[in-house]
Amino acid sequence: MRFFDALARNLIRIGGVGTIVAVSTVFVFLVWVVAPLFMRADLARPRPVFGALAGAGAQQRVLAIGEDDTLLTIWAYTSASRFVVLSAGAGRGAEAGGRYSGGLLGEVRPFAIAPTAYAFPVRSTQAVFGFADGTTRLVRAAPRTEYRDASSMSEQALQRGVGETFVYDGSVARRVSADQFELHTVEFTADEPIQVCDGAAIVAVDLSETPTGPVEASVDERGVLRVTRLTRTRNLLTGKDRIDTETGQLRLRPSHSAGLPRWLLLHGGGNSAIAVWQDGRAMRVDVSNLEKPKIAEEVDLSAGTGAHLTELAWLNGKNTLIVGDSSGSVRAWFRVPAPSMSTADGMRLLPAHDLGTGPAAVTALGSSARTRSLAVGYADGTLRIFNVTSGRLLAESRSGSSRPVSVVALAPNDDSLVAWDGELLAATLDAPHPEASLGALLRPVWYEGYAGPEHSWQSSSGTDEFEPKLGLWPLVFGTLKATFYSMLFGVPIALMAAIYTSEFLRPEVKSIVKPAIELMASLPSVVLGFLAALVFAPVIERIVPEFLAALVTVPFVLLLCAHLWQLFPQGVRAGMQGRRFVLSGVAIVFGLSVAMVVGPLAERWLFLGDVKLWLDGHGGDATGGWLILTLPVSALASVLVAGRAERMERLLPGATAAQSLLRFLLLSLLSVAAALAAAEALSFAGLDLRGGFLGTYIQRNALIVGFVMGFAVVPIIYTIAEDALSSIPDNLRAGSLALGATPWQTAVRIVVPTAMSGLFSAVMVGLGRAVGETMVVLMAAGNTPVLQWNVFNGFRTLSANIAVELPEAVRNSTHYRTLFLAALALFVMTFVLNTAAELVRSRFRKRAYQL
C-alpha cells in the first residue's frame, strides 16, 4: 500500500508540475510571437551611392526619385528634364569606403521643351507633366526584367558567381543560377500631348488613376482649374492608342490676393481637387460633376500657426493629405462626413493627425506605396519615418552632410529609402510592424474618412490602399458581451436546478436527471452553433414579441401554479407527488401559449404593431423599451416585499394558502403597474434605450447566443454546484429541520451559504467556458466587431476572431502577430478571472469552516 500511495503521490505531483509547465510554455510562446510588434524600427544612416549629376555644363537637381521592387535600380527625374536610371545594387552594400559605387545605366529625354509643372502620384506607374503651350503628357516608368541564358552572356559575365550583381549592357545583372542571368532596368514611355487649354502655361498638375481610367487636373497661368477624364482606346488594326477626353473647368477666385496656387492635388477617386497656396490657404473643389464644378470649401492648412507650407504629398490611396511647413510641423488632413456643413459634397477637410514638429523645416515628403508609412526629410539633413494611422515616430536618422533633403522616397516594400541632398543617398529600413502600437491597438484611432476617433477592427479589404484597423477593444467587448448574456441566462437556471436536485428531488429521480443534464456537456459546440444559426435564429426572428413575452409569462405561470398547488388538500398533493414534473411541463406549455397571445397584443400596444421597426427607430415612444428593463426590477422588488410579508405572517397564526395566492396576485399586479409607470415616466423625460441596450434587430444576435451558449455552460455549472451542495453534511440539515425550519429555509439559509465556495467555483468554471467559446459565437453572433450593448445585434469575440482570421493571416505579418496578441489577451483575462475566483473562493471556504 505504501508503494501505491507513493506512486499516486508522485504521479499527482508530476501532473501538477507538468500542467504548470505547459501553461507557462503557452504564455512564453504567445509573448515571444507578440513581442516583435512593439520593437522599435531601425533606419540605418544614409550613405551616398552616387555623386552629383552633371549635364548641360551644370550640376542637376533631382526633382523626383524612385526605386524598383528588386532594390537594384533607382530612377530619377532631374531639373534638366531628363530621366536617369542608376545602379543601386553595388552601393547598397558599400560602407564608408564605397562612396560613389553606383553607376549610371542610361538616360531618357522625352520632352523637346522643359515642363512647367509635374506630378508623380504615389503607387502610380504614370507621371503627368504640364507645359507652357497648354498641353499635358503622361509618362510611364515601367521596371523591366529580362532573363538570359548563359550562352548569350559575355565571357566576363560568365566569371561572376551565383547571386553576384553587376552592371551589364545598360542594366543591373544578377546571376541566379549557373545557366541563367536576370537583367533589371527601367523603361520610360511618353504618350502623345493632350491639349487642355490654348495659349496658357500650366502651373500645377496632378493625376489619379481610377477604375474607369486616368483623371488629371491642371491649373493654368490664368487661374483656371481643369479636370480631365481620359479614356484610352486601342485601334486593333494599327495598334495605336487613342485618348478621348472629357473636361470640366472652374476659375479659381480665392478670397485673398496670393496669386496662383503653388500646388494642385487631385483625390484618388478623381471627384475632388485641392488648390493650395504657399501661405496655407486651400480651396477644395467638388468635380464629381464635370459639367458643374463647385467650390466645396476653403480651409487654412497652416492651422493658424503662421508658418508657410513647404511640402505637400498624398498618402497611399490619395485620400489623406500630408502637409509640411517651415516650422517642421507635419500634419495629416482628410475629408470626413459633415452633413450639417453647407459644403457642396457634404464633406469637410480636417486635420486628423499631428505628427509633431521636426528639428528644421520640412523639405521632402515620401509616401509608402503599400502601408500608411511616411518618410520626411528636413532642412538639416534629418530623415524621419512615421506611421500616420498610429501617429508614431518609427525611426530617425541623419546624413553626414547636414544638407537639406530635397527628395525622399520609400522602396516598394518599405525596407529601404532613397533620398537626394546633392548626392544620391540610400539607407536600409527595418520597420516590420509600423501599424502596431499600444495606442493603435487599445485606444480610439481616427481612421481615414471617419467622423472622429473610433475603436475598430477591420484587418483586410479589397483594395491595396486599405488602412488596416487593428483595434482590439471591439473584440474584448464582444467577449465580455457574449459572456454576460450567456451567464445571465445560464447561471440562474444551473444554480436553481442544482439546489432543487440536491435538496428536494427524490434519489431515484435524481439518479436519472443528473446524468441526463451532465450528458448535455458532451454536445459539440459546433452542433449548438449550427442549431443556433439555422434553427433558433430564424424561428425567433419570426416570433420576437412572443419570445419576449414568454420570458415573463412562463415564470409567472409556474409561480401561479405553485400557489394553486398549495390550495389542494394534503392527501391530494401527496398522491400526485410523483407527477409534479409532468405538471410543471404542462405549466410551461401553458405559459408559452399565454405568450403567443400576449406577445402580439403588447406589440400592437407598445411597439406600433411591429417591434422590429420600432427597434430600428421608426416612430413611437420609448415606453415599451423601458418596460423591458423596469419589469424585472419591479419583479425583484416584489420578491423582497413578499419575503418581508412571509416573515410577518409567521408571527400571525392562521395564514392560509389562499392568502398567499392573493398576495402573489396583488404583488404581480403592482409589479406590472410600477414597471409601466416607471417606463412612462422615463419615456416622458425624453430618455430612449434605442441606440443603447436596444437597437436594430439582427437575426444572429446576442439574445440567440446567450440562449444557446447558456445550454453549454449549464451542465458544467450544474454538476459542480450540485456536488458542492450534496457534500454538505446531513447533520446541518437535520439540525435546521429540528429547530423548525422548512426544507426551503434550510436550503437557502444553511446549505447554500455553507457550499458557497463550491457554488462560486462552479460559476467561475462556467465563466471560463463562456469566455473561451468559439463555434457558437462564430456561427450565431453575426461575427461583426461592433461596440454596442444592444441585445438584438451581433458581436465578435477574441476566440471567434482568431478562428476566422488566423488561417488567412500571412505568417509573421502585423495581422498575424496581432491575432496572437488577441490570444494573449484572452489568456490574461482567463488567468486574472481564475485568480480572483480562487481568492474569493478561499474566503467563502473560511466562512464555511466557521459554520
Side-chain angles (χ1 to χ4, degrees), residues 258-335:
L260 296 172
R262 170 68 176 79
W263 296 275
L264 178 64
L265 302 114
L266 186 64
H267 273 90
N271 56 6
S272 179
I274 307 175
V276 184
W277 284 258
Q278 196 159 7
D279 63 358
R281 303 293 181 89
M283 180 182 297
R284 190 169 65 83
V285 181
D286 177 24
V287 293
S288 55
N289 183 0
L290 283 182
E291 296 180 357
K292 296 181 180 179
K294 298 178 181 178
I295 296 177
E297 60 176 330
E298 294 189 34
V299 295
D300 183 6
L301 296 182
S302 67
T305 60
H308 65 271
L309 306 188
T310 54
E311 287 293 327
L312 273 74
W314 285 116
L315 206 59
N316 182 21
K318 298 195 70 176
N319 287 306
T320 298
L321 178 61
I322 306 298
V323 178
D325 60 31
S326 58
S327 68
S329 176
V330 181
R331 294 183 179 86
W333 296 65
F334 52 69
R335 295 178 299 173

Side-chain angles (χ1 to χ4, degrees), residues 30-226:
L30 292 176
V31 173
W32 178 73
V33 176
V34 169
L37 282 176
F38 305 104
M39 291 183 178
R40 185 176 176 83
D42 179 61
L43 177 63
R45 184 169 181 172
R47 296 190 179 278
V49 294
F50 198 84
L53 292 171
Q59 181 176 331
Q60 300 177 65
R61 293 181 296 108
V62 169
L63 304 180
I65 198 169
E67 196 168 15
D68 71 348
D69 294 339
T70 63
L71 308 182
L72 296 176
T73 58
I74 299 173
W75 62 264
Y77 174 68
T78 73
S79 57
S81 302
R82 67 171 180 159
F83 289 91
V84 297
V85 183
L86 309 171
S87 166
R92 196 54 62 86
E95 298 298 332
R99 181 171 176 76
Y100 298 135
S101 54
L104 179 63
L105 301 178
E107 66 175 68
V108 176
R109 298 178 182 268
F111 312 125
I113 58 175
T116 54
Y118 61 90
F120 290 81
V122 61
R123 283 190 59 85
S124 177
T125 59
Q126 300 185 102
V128 60
F129 295 84
F131 297 87
D133 60 357
T135 61
T136 61
R137 296 185 71 179
L138 301 180
V139 176
R140 287 186 293 277
R144 181 174 64 87
T145 301
E146 179 186 356
Y147 292 91
R148 293 187 184 181
D149 295 333
S151 59
S152 63
M153 302 296 289
S154 65
E155 290 294 332
Q156 185 179 5
L158 294 177
Q159 297 176 3
R160 302 283 184 171
V162 175
E164 190 173 350
T165 301
F166 55 97
V167 176
Y168 181 83
D169 194 18
S171 303
V172 177
R174 180 163 55 188
R175 189 166 192 170
V176 296
S177 67
D179 300 324
Q180 193 175 52
F181 293 79
E182 60 179 15
L183 280 67
H184 300 273
T185 188
V186 180
E187 293 183 345
F188 299 93
T189 305
D191 288 347
E192 294 297 322
I194 301 172
Q195 192 74 47
V196 297
C197 63
D198 295 324
I202 304 297
V203 298
V205 289
D206 197 11
L207 177 72
S208 290
E209 295 192 40
T210 69
T212 59
V215 180
E216 66 175 38
S218 62
V219 173
D220 63 24
E221 60 184 353
R222 302 168 186 163
V224 177
L225 167 67
R226 292 179 176 85

Side-chain angles (χ1 to χ4, degrees), residues 485-565:
Y485 286 118
S486 302
M487 301 299 285
L488 184 65
F489 177 81
V491 169
I493 294 177
L495 293 182
M496 289 299 179
I499 294 173
Y500 181 77
T501 303
S502 173
E503 305 302 316
F504 302 102
L505 200 60
R506 289 181 300 170
E508 59 271 19
V509 179
K510 176 181 175 180
S511 63
I512 299 174
V513 171
K514 185 178 179 182
I517 296 178
E518 291 174 342
L519 191 63
M520 290 172 55
S522 64
L523 284 175
S525 59
V526 67
V527 173
L528 291 175
F530 176 82
L531 293 174
L534 300 181
V535 178
F536 295 128
V539 170
I540 293 178
E541 184 184 24
R542 292 193 295 268
I543 57 169
V544 173
E546 291 85 352
F547 181 81
L548 295 176
L551 299 178
V552 178
T553 59
V554 171
F556 174 78
V557 170
L558 282 172
L559 292 174
L560 178 61
C561 291
H563 282 86
L564 293 174
W565 175 264

Side-chain angles (χ1 to χ4, degrees), residues 448-468:
E448 185 178 85
Y450 282 42
E454 291 186 15
H455 292 286
S456 182
W457 175 275
Q458 186 183 359
S459 58
S460 62
S461 178
T463 62
D464 294 332
E465 299 84 7
F466 169 69
E467 181 178 23

Side-chain angles (χ1 to χ4, degrees), residues 655-681:
T656 65
Q659 291 175 344
S660 178
L661 174 61
L662 182 61
R663 185 180 65 249
F664 168 73
L665 294 175
L666 180 61
L667 288 175
S668 299
L669 182 61
L670 290 176
S671 297
V672 174
L676 186 58
E680 289 281 3

Side-chain angles (χ1 to χ4, degrees), residues 669-747:
L669 182 61
L670 290 176
S671 297
V672 174
L676 186 58
E680 289 281 3
L682 292 169
S683 178
F684 182 77
L687 302 177
D688 197 337
L689 283 172
R690 286 174 291 186
F693 179 75
L694 302 177
T696 301
Y697 187 91
I698 307 298
Q699 186 186 79
R700 300 181 183 184
N701 53 54
L703 184 67
I704 304 297
V705 171
F707 178 72
V708 175
M709 198 190 298
F711 286 105
V713 301
V714 161
I716 298 174
I717 300 176
Y718 166 82
T719 300
I720 300 176
E722 201 282 331
D723 290 341
L725 292 168
S726 298
S727 66
I728 301 301
D730 288 337
N731 57 1
L732 289 178
R733 297 183 178 88
S736 175
L737 294 172
L739 293 174
T742 64
W744 175 251
Q745 291 171 332
T746 300

